[in-house]
């Protein structure tokens, strides 16, 4: 039995029913596939059974990389690197279907990197099928006016449509994680706001949600140096709180911020 490294978030999915369910989310026959963190190859085996055109794997752990190489040989192309260092747009010239039972310590970092690096109208992926810890997944899919709603939901909903496929209990993994997990399915949106710099959306949401219990007056003043006409133009009631504004309003605020 392989000793799992906690530092690399290694909880291997062993439940055959869940593995089957993940693979059934979308048709992968003759499609290009990228799997993030294949680990011991449990999900990779299921992917290969479904006749994909080609399978790329990105795995940081050297030991697991050589195990996977021996197991799947020329059936897969392995990149032994940190996914956070990879420029997917440069490497992959055709759209991929991406699978990942993500290492939980960097799952939001991976998702945010992908969203911020997406080229306008030229996504390098067709869809994402990703596992997160349930608490994080709930934040990603949350709607405004709910306690979980925040930066992650706004950023995700800027470029992606997202839906939950299912929740998964700890005993589907080895070693068992302490928390429940959720599988999410993401598809790129066709229409979305274009910003001069996507980092501005991050700045705006950071300023608002870092003060999530405060009324909107305070972050609004901070962002627009007291110019209340912008709030009037966007018909925003400054007595509300950050969680009460829809993603669309945050996109409009960012547009106004970029005009300053
Ligand atoms: N896919 C396998 C499964 O479901 O059984 C393993 C999933 S495990 C939760 C996460 C995997 O991501 C591990 O194999 C780990 O070594 C790998 N990993 C961790 N950090 C990584 C990183 N920064 N870049 C690439 N892979 C990473």
């Amino acid at each position: 039995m392989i000793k799992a490294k906690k530092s690399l978030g290694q909880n291997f999915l062993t439940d055959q029913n869940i593995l089957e369910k993940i693979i059934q989310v979308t048709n992968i026959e003759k499609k290009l596939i990228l799997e993030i963190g294949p680990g011991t190859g449990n999900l990779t085996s299921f992917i290969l059974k479904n006749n994909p055109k080609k399978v790329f794997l990105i795995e940081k752990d050297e030991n697991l990389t050589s195990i996977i190489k021996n197991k799947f040989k020329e059936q897969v192309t392995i990149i032994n690197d940190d996914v956070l260092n990879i420029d997917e747009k440069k490497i992959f010239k055709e759209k991929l279907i991406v699978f990942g039972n993500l290492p939980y310590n960097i799952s939001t970092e991976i998702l945010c990197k992908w969203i911020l690096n997406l080229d306008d109208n030229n996504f390098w992926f067709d869809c994402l099928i990703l596992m997160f810890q349930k608490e994080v997944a709930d934040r990603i899919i949350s709607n405004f006016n709910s306690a979980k709603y925040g930066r992650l939901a706004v950023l995700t909903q800027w470029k992606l449509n997202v839906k939950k496929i299912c929740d998964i209990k700890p005993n589907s993994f080895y070693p068992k994680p302490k928390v429940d997990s959720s599988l999410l399915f993401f598809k790129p949106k066709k229409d979305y706001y274009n910003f001069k710099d996507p980092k501005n959306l991050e700045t705006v949401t950071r300023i608002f949600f870092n003060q999530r219990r405060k009324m909107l007056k305070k972050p609004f003043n901070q962002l627009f140096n007291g110019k209340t006409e912008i709030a009037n133009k966007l018909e925003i009631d400054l007595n509300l709180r950050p969680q009460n504004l829809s993603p669309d309003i945050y996109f409009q605020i960012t547009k106004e911020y970029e005009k300053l």
Side-chain angles (χ1 to χ4, degrees), residues 37-236:
T40 50
N42 297 344
L43 183 61
T44 323
S45 299
F46 275 74
I47 293 172
L48 288 167
K49 272 193 261 168
N50 282 269
N51 303 318
K53 182 168 159 194
K54 199 168 164 107
V55 177
F56 297 92
L57 307 172
I58 301 177
E59 173 56 64
K60 185 173 177 183
D61 188 319
E62 254 177 60
N63 182 30
L64 288 178
T65 301
S66 49
I67 290 173
I68 290 269
K69 261 187 194 149
N70 281 332
K71 193 166 173 183
F72 299 116
K73 309 229 157 43
E74 68 287 347
Q75 293 185 89
V76 297
T77 302
I78 310 181
I79 303 167
N80 177 209
D81 203 342
D82 185 330
V83 64
L84 294 171
N85 293 337
I86 302 276
D87 185 349
E88 291 85 359
K89 273 185 304 195
K90 276 211 181 115
I91 301 182
F92 305 115
K93 298 296 172 201
E94 273 180 76
K95 279 193 199 315
L96 301 135
I97 295 175
V98 183
F99 288 92
N101 171 13
L102 299 179
Y104 290 158
N105 49 345
I106 55 166
S107 63
T108 56
E109 212 178 325
I110 296 171
L111 183 66
C112 292
K113 175 194 110 155
W114 286 344
I115 295 169
L116 293 171
N117 284 349
L118 284 176
D119 253 354
D120 289 343
N121 299 319
N122 187 22
F123 290 176
W124 55 271
F125 59 81
D126 177 57
C127 62
L128 309 171
I129 299 152
L130 304 176
M131 182 106 71
F132 294 85
Q133 73 186 73
K134 183 174 179 302
E135 183 270 323
V136 172
D138 286 346
R139 284 196 278 131
I140 293 172
I141 61 174
S142 62
N143 290 319
F144 66 108
N145 289 331
S146 75
K148 296 202 165 137
Y149 178 68
R151 300 179 60 199
L152 207 45
V154 176
L155 191 62
T156 304
Q157 290 167 40
W158 171 39
K159 286 206 167 173
L160 303 172
N161 287 310
V162 54
K163 73 170 182 190
K164 188 193 271 195
I165 304 293
C166 61
D167 291 328
I168 298 157
K169 290 282 170 204
N171 54 14
S172 292
F173 300 86
Y174 181 83
K176 273 193 216 173
K178 288 199 177 70
V179 292
D180 286 359
S181 304
S182 302
L183 186 68
L184 300 184
F185 178 63
F186 302 82
K187 270 294 245 189
K189 283 187 173 170
K190 290 207 172 68
D191 292 314
Y192 49 82
Y193 285 80
N194 275 314
F195 300 122
K196 283 186 200 146
D197 184 350
K199 292 244 157 56
N200 291 328
L201 178 60
E202 276 203 303
T203 305
V204 167
T205 52
R206 191 180 60 245
I207 288 178
F208 278 83
F209 287 103
N210 277 359
Q211 315 179 56
R212 58 184 304 139
R213 287 181 208 294
K214 300 256 163 52
M215 282 191 280
L216 292 170
K217 247 177 242 149
K218 197 163 179 262
F220 228 89
N221 274 339
Q222 188 179 339
L223 207 58
F224 294 110
N225 302 320
K227 283 191 199 159
T228 46
E229 62 268 24
I230 293 171
N232 294 339
K233 179 176 164 192
L234 301 179
E235 295 179 1
I236 296 170

Side-chain angles (χ1 to χ4, degrees), residues 2-38:
I2 288 154
K3 193 166 179 324
K5 293 187 186 122
K6 224 174 165 185
S7 61
L8 289 177
Q10 291 176 355
N11 298 97
F12 305 114
L13 193 53
T14 50
D15 184 326
Q16 305 291 301
N17 293 327
I18 299 290
L19 287 161
E20 186 62 43
K21 190 162 185 169
I22 295 175
I23 239 51
Q24 295 302 332
V25 171
T26 190
N27 180 16
I28 65 166
E29 205 182 323
K30 301 199 178 74
K31 303 274 175 62
L32 289 184
I33 309 296
L34 169 64
E35 188 190 351
I36 309 299

